[in-house]
């Protein structure tokens, strides 16, 4: 019988935002894999990630398997690929021993998630593995709820941009229609603030980091002073809305 690899979205950090289906999947799995950053030597750096901290609210530590991923490697492709191969081999080994392995990922497993690459790697190593996903609350949904920003109305489009792709991609999106959401913009906060000002969308924009955690920060984008922010910061620049209620229906 084929083993199952289940990517479970555990939300942005607030353990109350894990869905009932997500909790059930974590508890039903034989083991729960959580990604951890590599230290300078390429081994487990010891830091507890957001996904692991969330999972620990629902399953015991003895069920959790920490697997090193190259989460912070962006320049050395060979080192990154080697780390991915090692992580895939580790999870493949677990699938050969267990019928159900869950992989906990922050946010949603189908939105800029480590799980995507893991599933591709494991599928090649363990043919016949059944891959499933359980959706999770995304950072943009959580920030919208905490800030009161409305993501979309009527016929408005929604554009999601990872600023790791470069500030130019964000600038282009901000000059287009609809709401723009930027992920992973913390290290380029100065460029993001400039892009918001240039597009005339600074006043209505909001940003947040560490959502649902004790160090949470949710503020107006106009307060950005160019200083670097946490890497996983999220920005919402709402669409320009005129015409009153239902103006874009």
């Amino acid at each position: 019988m084929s083993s199952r690899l289940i990517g479970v979205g555990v939300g942005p950090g607030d353990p109350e935002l894990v869905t009932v289906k997500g909790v059930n999947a974590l508890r039903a799995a034989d083991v729960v894999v959580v990604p951890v950053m590599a230290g300078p030597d390429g081994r487990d750096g010891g830091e507890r990630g957001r996904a692991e901290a969330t999972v620990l609210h629902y399953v015991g530590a003895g069920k959790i398997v920490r697997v090193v991923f190259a989460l912070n490697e962006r320049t050395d492709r060979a080192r990154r690929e080697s780390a991915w191969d090692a992580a895939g081999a580790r999870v493949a080994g677990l699938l050969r021993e267990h019928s159900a392995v869950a992989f906990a990922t922050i946010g949603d497993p189908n939105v800029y998630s480590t799980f995507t690459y893991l599933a591709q790697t494991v599928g090649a190593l363990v043919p016949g593995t059944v891959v499933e996903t359980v959706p999770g609350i995304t950072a943009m949904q959580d920030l919208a709820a905490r800030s009161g920003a409305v993501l979309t109305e009527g016929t408005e489009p929604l554009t999601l941009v990872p600023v790791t792709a470069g500030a130019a991609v964000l600038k282009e999106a901000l000059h287009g229609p609809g709401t723009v959401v930027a992920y992973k913009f913390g290290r380029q906060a100065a460029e993001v603030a400039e892009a918001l000002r240039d597009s005339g969308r600074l006043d209505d924009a909001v940003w947040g980091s560490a959502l649902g955690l004790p160090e949470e920060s949710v503020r107006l984008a106009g307060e950005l002073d160019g200083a670097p922010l946490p890497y996983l910061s999220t920005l919402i620049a709402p669409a320009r809305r005129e015409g009153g209620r239902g103006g874009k229906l």
Side-chain angles (χ1 to χ4, degrees):
M1 188 172 180
S2 299
S3 293
R4 294 161 57 232
L5 175 64
I6 310 109
V8 182
V10 296
D14 183 348
E16 292 187 341
L17 290 181
V18 184
T19 66
V20 173
K21 187 170 185 175
V23 172
N24 288 340
L26 293 172
R27 290 175 173 168
D30 300 307
V31 295
V32 179
V33 173
V34 295
V36 298
M37 283 194 188
D41 60 356
R43 299 180 181 180
D44 187 341
E47 181 180 346
R48 176 177 290 173
R50 203 174 295 188
E52 181 178 2
T54 303
V55 168
L56 283 168
H57 282 80
Y58 298 106
V59 302
K63 192 174 181 176
I64 293 175
V65 176
R66 293 165 57 94
V67 175
V68 175
F69 285 80
L71 301 173
N72 51 349
E73 180 56 68
R74 298 193 175 278
T75 56
D76 189 334
R77 179 165 184 168
R79 184 170 182 267
R80 183 174 66 241
E81 293 293 334
S82 176
W84 275 111
D85 289 343
R90 179 79 174 91
V91 175
L94 292 171
L95 283 163
R96 295 186 184 103
E97 299 170 5
H98 304 284
S99 61
V101 175
F103 180 87
T105 177
I106 60 172
D108 182 279
N110 293 304
V111 180
Y112 299 129
S113 170
T114 307
F115 181 73
T116 303
Y117 312 117
L118 175 67
Q120 293 171 355
T121 304
V122 169
L125 294 173
V126 190
T129 297
V130 176
V131 177
E132 303 171 3
T133 58
V134 178
I137 300 296
T138 62
M140 64 178 168
Q141 292 170 289
D142 196 9
L143 178 57
R146 294 176 189 277
S147 67
V150 176
L151 287 170
T152 56
E153 288 185 2
T155 57
E156 294 171 353
L158 174 65
T159 303
L160 176 58
V161 177
V163 182
T164 47
V169 179
L170 175 62
K171 291 178 181 178
E172 181 180 353
L174 287 170
H175 284 285
T179 294
V180 176
V181 175
Y183 275 4
K184 305 176 183 179
F185 79 92
R187 294 173 187 168
Q188 295 175 267
E191 293 93 327
V192 169
E194 179 185 358
L196 288 167
R197 279 191 293 269
D198 290 348
S199 62
R201 302 182 72 166
L202 182 64
D203 292 342
D204 296 329
V206 295
W207 71 270
S209 63
L211 300 173
L213 303 176
E215 62 272 28
E216 173 185 295
S217 180
V218 176
R219 300 168 65 183
L220 295 173
E223 298 177 16
L224 290 171
D225 58 7
L229 300 173
Y231 173 66
L232 290 178
S233 295
T234 298
L235 173 87
I236 298 176
R240 300 177 181 89
R241 296 185 176 117
E242 300 173 353
R245 182 175 62 183
K248 294 193 177 180
L249 290 175

